[in-house]
Amino acid sequence: AVVSTQSTGKDEVACIKRVKYDSTNIQRSHVGLWDQLSANFKRSYLNILRNPAYTQIRILQVLVLSVIGGLTYFKTGNDQEAFQDKSGLLFYMVVALTFSNAFIQSQNLPMDMPVIKREYRNGMYGVLACMIPRFIIEVPYLLLLTILQWGLVWALAGLRRTFYNFVVGYVTSVGVAFVSTTLGYFVATLTGNAAIASAVTPLVALPFFLFGGLYQSEASTPEYFYPIKYLSWLRYGFQMYLINEFDGQPLNCNRNSSTPCIFSNGNEVLAYYHIDVEDQWFPNFFAIVALALFYLFLSIALLWCKVRQPPQKPDDTRSSDQSFFYTNGARASDPEQLAGESSHVSKVAKQKTTVIHVTANCHSSLPGM
């Protein structure tokens, strides 16, 4: 929109300096949500193509973590000692999936936060149009990198060799990676800063590790920690892995070994961990999906609050409130430059160039702002 003005350049600059940010005056895009989503999805896809290092480092991350885990528990047997080794390996998988996805998202999103704020305040895109394409573009990474990570561990460590067990383990891995990705979004939108997010991510995730099922028995958790226990995606993922591996699995007993024969089959191992076989899909997998959607919703809500906050830095103020000057798509955000350009407003309007000005009369309402 073009706001006409008859004031001098100096008056206009003085008025711009006195204007305060008002979230109720943010422009709203006249473009539909679908078009906003399409444009943002295309931009996210092009950003991935222009930054091959992002894909390369994620592949390297998966290879290192999975090969280390697989070789550490290489060809684990099926005897009395194996249940502890397999339990440690499966909990390692949950931890590796959590940190590899949560950390990279908590660092990635804050870098784009200034652009998201500016475009929202300019009325270009809404919060949903920014977040949904960002998540969709991560889905191939979640599906392909997770099958690579789980496949290498499954092949090297000697887990149950049936197609059904492989698929269930893969679905569990995707679910944990899904939660971890949205957790990274939550930390990123909560902090808004990559350096702070790197410190907050372990602080948010580590308490859930204590109640993941490996370090403490299900029956010995204090009641006042039940909320953390039932919000721990590591607990649900670890239980799904254990049920998938030990349900109906016989355990060998070597009488010549110094290890006593405590368990005769995998169901006794599950009983030792206080795990019910019927909990495989509900509530375990259902809780994983619900937690992922919960963190995604929180991320969108926090981002909406962030973009509506008044800018703090002077440079951010000029780039996010009403003091814009657009000429053929280029912005001149410096007030002095705005003053120099004010005499050319009429010519720019004739050229069908969008001009946004703040009038010298600061007490009057500004239409279209």
Side-chain angles (χ1 to χ4, degrees), residues 99 103 187 196-209:
F99 276 106
F103 262 105
V187 174
I196 299 177
S198 63
V200 172
T201 302
L203 183 64
V204 172
L206 284 176
F208 295 105
F209 281 34

Side-chain angles (χ1 to χ4, degrees), residues 46-341:
L46 292 176
N47 287 339
I48 293 295
L49 295 181
R50 293 165 183 165
N51 187 18
Y54 176 76
T55 303
Q56 294 167 3
I57 194 64
R58 296 202 65 175
I59 294 175
L60 178 63
Q61 184 183 58
V62 166
L63 291 175
V64 171
L65 293 176
S66 56
V67 170
I68 289 177
L71 293 179
T72 302
Y73 300 93
F74 185 66
K75 290 185 178 180
T76 303
N78 198 34
D79 53 17
Q80 297 295 308
E81 296 177 350
F83 93 90
Q84 186 175 2
D85 294 339
K86 289 182 177 181
S87 300
L89 171 63
L90 295 173
F91 194 79
Y92 168 81
M93 274 294 299
V94 179
V95 174
L97 287 166
T98 295
F99 276 106
S100 60
N101 289 281
F103 262 105
I104 198 165
Q105 298 305 330
S106 66
Q107 298 297 299
N108 200 13
L109 183 57
M111 298 179 183
D112 296 334
M113 196 73 75
V115 176
I116 295 175
K117 289 181 178 180
R118 184 177 66 245
E119 293 180 346
Y120 178 83
R121 292 165 183 169
N122 291 353
M124 297 175 65
Y125 304 110
V127 173
L128 283 176
C130 292
M131 286 296 294
I132 293 178
R134 176 180 291 272
F135 176 75
I136 292 176
I137 209 69
E138 287 294 324
V139 171
Y141 288 101
L142 294 178
L143 297 178
L144 298 178
L145 294 181
T146 302
I147 197 173
L148 175 62
Q149 188 167 356
W150 169 249
L152 286 173
V153 171
W154 180 80
L156 292 173
L159 300 176
R160 293 183 73 170
R161 289 291 192 265
T162 67
F163 179 74
Y164 173 80
N165 293 117
F166 176 81
V167 171
V168 172
Y170 170 61
V171 172
T172 304
S173 303
V174 171
V176 174
F178 185 15
V179 180
S180 306
T181 298
T182 56
L183 176 70
Y185 291 157
F186 168 70
V187 174
T189 53
L190 179 67
T191 60
N193 182 281
I196 299 177
S198 63
V200 172
T201 302
L203 183 64
V204 172
L206 284 176
F208 295 105
F209 281 34
L210 294 176
F211 308 101
L214 181 67
Y215 301 122
Q216 188 180 52
S217 172
E218 284 278 318
S220 59
T221 304
E223 293 184 359
Y224 45 82
F225 281 131
Y226 275 8
I228 300 179
K229 172 183 174 180
Y230 290 113
L231 288 175
S232 176
W233 65 95
L234 294 105
R235 172 177 175 265
Y236 299 115
F238 183 54
Q239 288 189 7
M240 288 190 68
Y241 277 137
L242 289 179
I243 295 172
N244 182 53
E245 181 63 26
F246 289 114
D247 182 26
Q249 178 80 343
L251 296 179
N252 301 325
C253 181
N254 186 2
R255 299 297 180 180
N256 298 323
S257 175
S258 59
T259 304
C261 297
I262 302 175
F263 305 112
S264 60
N265 56 66
N267 293 87
E268 294 181 0
V269 175
L270 297 177
Y272 169 77
Y273 283 111
H274 298 276
I275 296 175
D276 188 351
V277 176
E278 301 298 327
D279 293 344
Q280 174 79 312
W281 300 107
F282 184 87
N284 288 339
F285 187 72
F286 176 82
I288 288 176
V289 175
L291 285 172
L293 296 176
F294 173 69
Y295 283 124
L296 183 60
F297 172 78
L298 280 183
S299 303
I300 295 174
L302 283 173
L303 182 60
W304 183 81
C305 294
K306 289 279 186 180
V307 297
R308 294 179 64 84
Q309 290 178 354
Q312 300 297 324
K313 297 181 180 180
D315 292 339
D316 191 26
T317 302
R318 291 196 300 268
S319 64
S320 58
D321 65 7
Q322 294 95 330
S323 56
F324 288 109
F325 187 92
Y326 287 89
T327 306
N328 293 329
R331 186 188 72 218
S333 57
D334 185 18
E336 299 297 334
Q337 187 174 353
L338 270 173
E341 297 286 352

